[in-house]
Amino acid sequence: MSLDKKLFTLKYLPDTQSHLKPNKEDCKNCETKACTFICPAQVYEWSEEKQELIVKYENCLECGACRIACEHKSLDWEYPKGTKGVTFKQG
C-alpha cells in the first residue's frame, strides 16, 4: 500500500492550538529547513515571501521526525492534549 493510501486511513481530531511550536527566529537562520522535507505529512512549509515557517499542525502524525531533524533543536514538540491528534487504524 502506498504512503498516500495509508495516510488516507488516518483519523484526525485536531486541537484548537498547535502542539508544535518552532522558534521562528531560529527558522529564519536555518540553512537546511529539514522539517519541510523530513515530515511525511508535509506539516511544515517555508514561505520565502513572509520569511517564516508555516505549521499545519492539524496534519501531524506525531512521529517526531521534525524535532530530531531540527538542526537548531528549537522545536517545542508535545503530544496533543487528551483525545486530540491522530488515531491510527490497523489494516
Side-chain angles (χ1 to χ4, degrees):
M1 182 182 286
S2 73
L3 178 61
D4 286 339
K5 286 184 180 181
K6 286 182 181 182
L7 290 175
F8 186 72
T9 67
L10 300 176
K11 178 182 170 188
Y12 295 92
L13 182 58
D15 200 344
T16 56
Q17 295 182 351
S18 178
H19 62 287
L20 307 169
K21 297 175 179 83
N23 179 322
K24 295 194 176 190
E25 286 305 310
D26 285 347
C27 296
K28 289 179 183 179
N29 298 316
C30 180
E31 292 185 27
T32 64
K33 312 274 191 276
C35 62
T36 63
F37 60 85
I38 197 81
C39 177
Q42 300 173 345
V43 168
Y44 303 96
E45 178 183 339
W46 178 254
S47 171
E48 280 295 329
E49 182 180 315
K50 295 179 181 180
Q51 287 293 294
E52 76 175 8
L53 188 66
I54 298 166
V55 181
K56 297 172 274 184
Y57 71 93
E58 304 90 346
N59 297 333
C60 181
L61 300 175
E62 301 163 28
C63 68
C66 55
R67 70 178 165 179
I68 294 168
C70 180
E71 68 184 54
H72 292 281
K73 305 294 182 217
S74 61
L75 176 62
D76 183 12
W77 189 102
E78 299 175 0
Y79 283 105
K81 298 177 204 162
T83 59
K84 306 295 185 190
V86 66
T87 301
F88 294 94
K89 302 179 204 173
Q90 289 195 339

